[in-house]
Amino acid sequence: MAFFTDTNSLNIPKILRAVWQNKGISRIELSRLLEIDKSTVTLIVSKLLESGIIETIAEGKAGATGGRKPVHLAINKNFGVILGVEIQPYSSYKLAVTNLEGELVRSEIRNEVFTSENLASKIIEITNSIQEEIEAPIISVGIGISGIIDSVNGIIRRSIPLDITSDFNVYEEFEKHSFSIPVFIENDANCCAWGELALNRDEKLRNYLVLLIEFRKDEILNTGKGGIAVGLGIAIDRKVYSGSDHTAGEFKSIFTAPGSLNQFSLTKDETVNIMNDKSVFLKFISELSKNAALLVNTFNMDHLFFGGTETDFQDEIIPVMEAAIKDNWMYSEQPECSISEFSKKEFSVAYGASGLILEHLFSIPPQTIAPDQNQSTRQNIISSIESIVDARGEAE
């Protein structure tokens, strides 16, 4: 079924996104909201219902003058699922299975060691294993990885956990395996930013900063460096910003000594004890908050999200961050910036890897002559959906 791709009209993605954002919306309401004539809305909705990607959920009451009862529409959340995978350093990965409503239907942590050599084969193995355990077809797979990631071209520029020090094209590896399900990779902190977008699709959340904080005691004991990993996700006007070289969000504190290989000014002993020494933890959070406050105030962020590792001192974080933002501001009237933990807690990266796909699927392509990176990503996802529709049609 080439309905999604045979037309250049923006009306199809507009209607899809409107239904995704407004569960229970009617055809009449769609026509008014999008300023599209009723006959066009009716035609497109009929095709979308036929494809199975949207469904009717109830009938409303007829108006005072009678007439047809409005039929309420929603995304068919059981049409298919998206698999999000967070590859964690050295020992494990996290899974998040998400339906098209953005609901997390399954999550778990499994032990596995990933390398550049086995990345594609392991992801394919995981995907096939999950597909055997669930009924809904997997539409796409998103992977969150620590490092410098060119998500457009599928290239890992650098990744310490995977020991990648030169360009590694992940998408080419999947092509070698003739894997039919589209796969996308993204930096782990950026995944968290995508996840919050998918969860706040009413578009009230626009400009925000994400702090992905991970404590890796074994890393510093084994290598003498690292131990704390902080990555930033930056969203401006509901777009996750990766930078021209895909390095946006790579972070090093302004308080570190010249030549330091670590992200913070903490000593090795302080870093090792950060999880059980409150004074060290507060020193760390204070330093991180001062760095974050500069970005929050400079870019007028309306929200700051943080998470990655739970500690015994979790309740201390928000007050320290609030104080840092206030201290960094020049004027008497403080701009509003809400601070909260990640919505999906420990599964925020894995969920966000699927949230990236949801946001692209239900996006509205820009009206440009040449396709941009988001159009290319969306097209691959739509192609997967059309394959699912065609397969169901053949089965019937």
Side-chain angles (χ1 to χ4, degrees):
M1 183 180 188
F3 167 66
F4 294 99
T5 52
D6 277 353
T7 177
N8 292 320
S9 171
L10 288 178
N11 289 334
I12 295 172
K14 282 181 178 179
I15 288 174
L16 261 180
R17 185 167 184 85
V19 174
W20 189 54
Q21 290 179 313
N22 304 276
K23 184 176 182 179
I25 195 169
S26 69
R27 291 174 176 85
I28 295 296
E29 291 168 332
L30 280 171
S31 177
R32 292 170 181 164
L33 176 67
L34 302 175
E35 298 182 342
I36 302 173
D37 66 82
K38 296 177 184 177
S39 60
T40 300
V41 169
T42 297
L43 176 63
I44 291 174
V45 166
S46 296
K47 291 289 187 179
L48 291 173
L49 286 168
E50 181 185 342
S51 75
I53 195 168
I54 69 172
E55 62 181 355
T56 59
I57 55 174
E59 278 193 353
K61 295 181 179 180
T65 58
R68 291 183 178 180
K69 295 179 180 179
V71 176
H72 300 294
L73 305 168
I75 295 297
N76 178 7
K77 64 181 181 181
N78 297 316
F79 176 89
V81 297
I82 298 165
L83 176 61
V85 182
E86 177 193 0
I87 296 177
Q88 294 198 292
Y90 316 117
S91 62
S92 64
Y93 64 94
K94 295 180 180 180
L95 290 175
V97 180
T98 307
N99 64 27
L100 293 190
E101 270 290 333
E103 297 169 343
L104 186 60
V105 297
R106 177 171 174 174
S107 59
E108 59 185 280
I109 302 173
R110 297 180 178 180
N111 294 325
E112 188 66 75
V113 176
F114 285 87
T115 65
S116 57
E117 288 79 11
N118 72 12
L119 176 61
S121 60
K122 288 292 183 184
I123 293 295
I124 292 171
E125 181 183 318
I126 291 166
T127 304
N128 291 336
S129 172
I130 295 296
Q131 186 63 89
E132 289 177 358
E133 298 171 13
I134 60 177
E135 293 184 7
I138 296 174
I139 297 170
S140 185
V141 179
I143 307 170
I145 301 175
S146 174
I148 299 174
I149 312 295
D150 175 353
S151 60
V152 178
N153 298 301
I155 297 173
I156 303 175
R157 303 291 186 193
R158 302 288 185 274
S159 177
I160 293 174
L162 293 177
D163 194 27
I164 293 175
T165 57
S166 59
D167 287 2
F168 177 76
N169 194 312
V170 175
Y171 295 170
E172 286 183 356
E173 293 299 310
F174 281 96
E175 288 176 2
K176 291 177 184 177
H177 288 79
S178 300
F179 192 50
S180 60
I181 298 175
V183 176
F184 303 96
I185 62 169
E186 179 59 282
N187 168 269
D188 51 3
N190 284 347
C191 282
C192 295
W194 283 112
E196 298 301 336
L197 273 182
L199 286 166
N200 294 275
R201 54 182 182 264
D202 58 5
E203 300 195 358
K204 292 180 181 178
L205 181 68
R206 302 203 67 83
N207 308 306
Y208 58 95
L209 182 67
V210 161
L211 302 177
L212 178 60
I213 309 164
E214 296 178 320
F215 301 122
R216 304 170 183 170
K217 182 177 180 180
D218 291 341
E219 184 177 74
I220 192 170
L221 292 176
N222 295 333
T223 68
K225 61 182 181 181
I228 302 173
V230 173
L232 275 57
I234 304 167
I236 303 293
D237 199 23
R238 289 189 64 82
K239 295 178 181 177
V240 178
Y241 179 72
S242 59
S244 56
D245 293 322
H246 309 282
T247 62
E250 291 298 312
F251 170 79
K252 186 175 182 179
S253 169
I254 59 175
F255 300 103
T256 56
S260 172
L261 296 177
N262 295 326
Q263 288 183 283
F264 294 89
S265 63
L266 302 182
T267 66
K268 177 179 177 179
D269 287 342
E270 286 176 328
T271 304
V272 169
N273 293 313
I274 194 169
M275 295 288 282
N276 50 39
D277 188 323
K278 185 176 180 179
S279 64
V280 173
F281 182 80
L282 290 175
K283 179 180 178 181
F284 158 73
I285 286 297
S286 176
E287 183 172 338
L288 174 61
S289 298
K290 289 175 182 177
N291 282 274
L294 177 63
L295 296 174
V296 166
N297 287 333
T298 300
F299 290 98
N300 189 24
M301 299 293 190
D302 47 47
H303 209 111
L304 172 61
F305 294 97
F306 69 91
T309 304
E310 292 283 337
T311 75
D312 292 337
F313 317 119
Q314 205 75 3
D315 293 340
E316 307 289 340
I317 297 176
I318 291 179
V320 173
M321 288 182 172
E322 289 176 337
I325 292 172
K326 182 177 180 180
D327 291 343
N328 181 260
W329 188 243
M330 288 284 292
Y331 303 97
S332 57
E333 291 185 1
Q334 186 75 19
E336 292 186 10
C337 178
S338 301
I339 304 174
S340 60
E341 294 185 58
F342 291 154
S343 302
K344 295 300 180 182
K345 303 293 183 180
E346 62 178 332
F347 289 97
S348 289
V349 174
Y351 177 85
S354 61
L356 177 156
I357 296 168
L358 284 173
E359 275 292 321
H360 281 81
L361 170 59
F362 296 113
S363 66
I364 301 174
Q367 292 178 293
T368 57
I369 296 175
D372 71 355
Q373 64 191 53
N374 291 335
Q375 285 176 282
S376 176
T377 302
R378 185 179 186 276
Q379 183 55 56
N380 289 331
I381 302 167
I382 289 294
S383 296
S384 177
I385 285 176
E386 290 183 336
S387 296
I388 293 170
V389 174
D390 290 341
R392 285 176 174 168
E394 291 173 4
E396 294 174 356

PDB file of all heavy atoms in Angstrom, residues 239-254:
ATOM      1  N   LYS A 239      13.111  20.932  18.679  1.00  0.00           N
ATOM      2  CA  LYS A 239      14.028  20.214  17.799  1.00  0.00           C
ATOM      3  C   LYS A 239      15.294  19.883  18.582  1.00  0.00           C
ATOM      4  O   LYS A 239      15.910  20.765  19.187  1.00  0.00           O
ATOM      5  CB  LYS A 239      14.374  21.060  16.568  1.00  0.00           C
ATOM      6  CG  LYS A 239      13.175  21.332  15.665  1.00  0.00           C
ATOM      7  CD  LYS A 239      13.569  22.211  14.488  1.00  0.00           C
ATOM      8  CE  LYS A 239      12.353  22.504  13.616  1.00  0.00           C
ATOM      9  NZ  LYS A 239      12.685  23.414  12.487  1.00  0.00           N
ATOM     10  N   VAL A 240      15.658  18.606  18.589  1.00  0.00           N
ATOM     11  CA  VAL A 240      16.871  18.188  19.292  1.00  0.00           C
ATOM     12  C   VAL A 240      18.070  18.619  18.462  1.00  0.00           C
ATOM     13  O   VAL A 240      18.197  18.266  17.284  1.00  0.00           O
ATOM     14  CB  VAL A 240      16.879  16.664  19.523  1.00  0.00           C
ATOM     15  CG1 VAL A 240      18.182  16.243  20.210  1.00  0.00           C
ATOM     16  CG2 VAL A 240      15.676  16.252  20.373  1.00  0.00           C
ATOM     17  N   TYR A 241      18.928  19.400  19.084  1.00  0.00           N
ATOM     18  CA  TYR A 241      20.058  20.010  18.372  1.00  0.00           C
ATOM     19  C   TYR A 241      21.307  19.138  18.511  1.00  0.00           C
ATOM     20  O   TYR A 241      21.741  18.826  19.617  1.00  0.00           O
ATOM     21  CB  TYR A 241      20.329  21.407  18.933  1.00  0.00           C
ATOM     22  CG  TYR A 241      21.485  22.113  18.283  1.00  0.00           C
ATOM     23  CD1 TYR A 241      21.376  22.598  16.977  1.00  0.00           C
ATOM     24  CD2 TYR A 241      22.685  22.292  18.956  1.00  0.00           C
ATOM     25  CE1 TYR A 241      22.443  23.238  16.370  1.00  0.00           C
ATOM     26  CE2 TYR A 241      23.748  22.944  18.362  1.00  0.00           C
ATOM     27  CZ  TYR A 241      23.628  23.416  17.054  1.00  0.00           C
ATOM     28  OH  TYR A 241      24.675  24.048  16.451  1.00  0.00           O
ATOM     29  N   SER A 242      21.873  18.752  17.369  1.00  0.00           N
ATOM     30  CA  SER A 242      23.060  17.890  17.395  1.00  0.00           C
ATOM     31  C   SER A 242      24.323  18.616  16.969  1.00  0.00           C
ATOM     32  O   SER A 242      25.429  18.106  17.186  1.00  0.00           O
ATOM     33  CB  SER A 242      22.850  16.670  16.490  1.00  0.00           C
ATOM     34  OG  SER A 242      22.604  17.069  15.160  1.00  0.00           O
ATOM     35  N   GLY A 243      24.190  19.789  16.367  1.00  0.00           N
ATOM     36  CA  GLY A 243      25.364  20.540  15.937  1.00  0.00           C
ATOM     37  C   GLY A 243      25.829  20.134  14.550  1.00  0.00           C
ATOM     38  O   GLY A 243      25.490  19.063  14.045  1.00  0.00           O
ATOM     39  N   SER A 244      26.640  20.969  13.934  1.00  0.00           N
ATOM     40  CA  SER A 244      27.098  20.706  12.571  1.00  0.00           C
ATOM     41  C   SER A 244      28.006  19.487  12.486  1.00  0.00           C
ATOM     42  O   SER A 244      28.069  18.822  11.452  1.00  0.00           O
ATOM     43  CB  SER A 244      27.816  21.938  12.012  1.00  0.00           C
ATOM     44  OG  SER A 244      28.886  22.332  12.859  1.00  0.00           O
ATOM     45  N   ASP A 245      28.722  19.174  13.561  1.00  0.00           N
ATOM     46  CA  ASP A 245      29.604  18.010  13.593  1.00  0.00           C
ATOM     47  C   ASP A 245      29.072  16.910  14.508  1.00  0.00           C
ATOM     48  O   ASP A 245      29.806  15.998  14.875  1.00  0.00           O
ATOM     49  CB  ASP A 245      31.016  18.403  14.049  1.00  0.00           C
ATOM     50  CG  ASP A 245      31.717  19.293  13.038  1.00  0.00           C
ATOM     51  OD1 ASP A 245      31.532  19.059  11.831  1.00  0.00           O
ATOM     52  OD2 ASP A 245      32.423  20.230  13.457  1.00  0.00           O
ATOM     53  N   HIS A 246      27.811  17.035  14.921  1.00  0.00           N
ATOM     54  CA  HIS A 246      27.142  16.038  15.772  1.00  0.00           C
ATOM     55  C   HIS A 246      27.783  15.922  17.151  1.00  0.00           C
ATOM     56  O   HIS A 246      27.666  14.895  17.803  1.00  0.00           O
ATOM     57  CB  HIS A 246      27.136  14.671  15.080  1.00  0.00           C
ATOM     58  CG  HIS A 246      26.607  14.716  13.680  1.00  0.00           C
ATOM     59  ND1 HIS A 246      25.272  14.783  13.396  1.00  0.00           N
ATOM     60  CD2 HIS A 246      27.254  14.744  12.484  1.00  0.00           C
ATOM     61  CE1 HIS A 246      25.110  14.837  12.081  1.00  0.00           C
ATOM     62  NE2 HIS A 246      26.291  14.823  11.505  1.00  0.00           N
ATOM     63  N   THR A 247      28.450  16.985  17.600  1.00  0.00           N
ATOM     64  CA  THR A 247      29.106  16.945  18.911  1.00  0.00           C
ATOM     65  C   THR A 247      28.379  17.784  19.959  1.00  0.00           C
ATOM     66  O   THR A 247      28.851  17.891  21.095  1.00  0.00           O
ATOM     67  CB  THR A 247      30.565  17.436  18.818  1.00  0.00           C
ATOM     68  OG1 THR A 247      30.570  18.801  18.375  1.00  0.00           O
ATOM     69  CG2 THR A 247      31.370  16.587  17.843  1.00  0.00           C
ATOM     70  N   ALA A 248      27.252  18.385  19.593  1.00  0.00           N
ATOM     71  CA  ALA A 248      26.498  19.168  20.583  1.00  0.00           C
ATOM     72  C   ALA A 248      26.101  18.269  21.746  1.00  0.00           C
ATOM     73  O   ALA A 248      25.620  17.157  21.552  1.00  0.00           O
ATOM     74  CB  ALA A 248      25.249  19.772  19.947  1.00  0.00           C
ATOM     75  N   GLY A 249      26.324  18.748  22.952  1.00  0.00           N
ATOM     76  CA  GLY A 249      26.011  17.966  24.142  1.00  0.00           C
ATOM     77  C   GLY A 249      27.219  17.303  24.771  1.00  0.00           C
ATOM     78  O   GLY A 249      27.145  16.830  25.911  1.00  0.00           O
ATOM     79  N   GLU A 250      28.344  17.244  24.035  1.00  0.00           N
ATOM     80  CA  GLU A 250      29.576  16.747  24.658  1.00  0.00           C
ATOM     81  C   GLU A 250      30.018  17.778  25.699  1.00  0.00           C
ATOM     82  O   GLU A 250      30.100  18.973  25.414  1.00  0.00           O
ATOM     83  CB  GLU A 250      30.666  16.536  23.599  1.00  0.00           C
ATOM     84  CG  GLU A 250      30.366  15.389  22.647  1.00  0.00           C
ATOM     85  CD  GLU A 250      30.263  14.052  23.367  1.00  0.00           C
ATOM     86  OE1 GLU A 250      31.152  13.737  24.188  1.00  0.00           O
ATOM     87  OE2 GLU A 250      29.277  13.336  23.117  1.00  0.00           O
ATOM     88  N   PHE A 251      30.314  17.312  26.892  1.00  0.00           N
ATOM     89  CA  PHE A 251      30.418  18.236  28.024  1.00  0.00           C
ATOM     90  C   PHE A 251      31.727  18.075  28.783  1.00  0.00           C
ATOM     91  O   PHE A 251      32.213  16.957  29.004  1.00  0.00           O
ATOM     92  CB  PHE A 251      29.250  17.999  28.981  1.00  0.00           C
ATOM     93  CG  PHE A 251      29.365  18.726  30.292  1.00  0.00           C
ATOM     94  CD1 PHE A 251      29.053  20.072  30.376  1.00  0.00           C
ATOM     95  CD2 PHE A 251      29.803  18.069  31.431  1.00  0.00           C
ATOM     96  CE1 PHE A 251      29.170  20.753  31.586  1.00  0.00           C
ATOM     97  CE2 PHE A 251      29.920  18.733  32.636  1.00  0.00           C
ATOM     98  CZ  PHE A 251      29.611  20.080  32.715  1.00  0.00           C
ATOM     99  N   LYS A 252      32.279  19.219  29.193  1.00  0.00           N
ATOM    100  CA  LYS A 252      33.400  19.255  30.130  1.00  0.00           C
ATOM    101  C   LYS A 252      33.243  20.504  30.978  1.00  0.00           C
ATOM    102  O   LYS A 252      33.050  21.606  30.464  1.00  0.00           O
ATOM    103  CB  LYS A 252      34.744  19.277  29.396  1.00  0.00           C
ATOM    104  CG  LYS A 252      35.941  19.169  30.342  1.00  0.00           C
ATOM    105  CD  LYS A 252      37.242  19.071  29.568  1.00  0.00           C
ATOM    106  CE  LYS A 252      38.428  18.906  30.520  1.00  0.00           C
ATOM    107  NZ  LYS A 252      39.705  18.793  29.792  1.00  0.00           N
ATOM    108  N   SER A 253      33.311  20.343  32.285  1.00  0.00           N
ATOM    109  CA  SER A 253      33.086  21.450  33.207  1.00  0.00           C
ATOM    110  C   SER A 253      34.109  22.562  32.992  1.00  0.00           C
ATOM    111  O   SER A 253      35.290  22.305  32.732  1.00  0.00           O
ATOM    112  CB  SER A 253      33.168  20.948  34.648  1.00  0.00           C
ATOM    113  OG  SER A 253      33.199  22.034  35.552  1.00  0.00           O
ATOM    114  N   ILE A 254      33.649  23.796  33.137  1.00  0.00           N
ATOM    115  CA  ILE A 254      34.556  24.941  33.018  1.00  0.00           C
ATOM    116  C   ILE A 254      35.503  25.036  34.222  1.00  0.00           C
ATOM    117  O   ILE A 254      36.440  25.836  34.214  1.00  0.00           O
ATOM    118  CB  ILE A 254      33.771  26.258  32.874  1.00  0.00           C
ATOM    119  CG1 ILE A 254      32.854  26.465  34.077  1.00  0.00           C
ATOM    120  CG2 ILE A 254      32.975  26.272  31.590  1.00  0.00           C
ATOM    121  CD1 ILE A 254      32.130  27.804  34.066  1.00  0.00           C
TER     122      ILE A 254
END
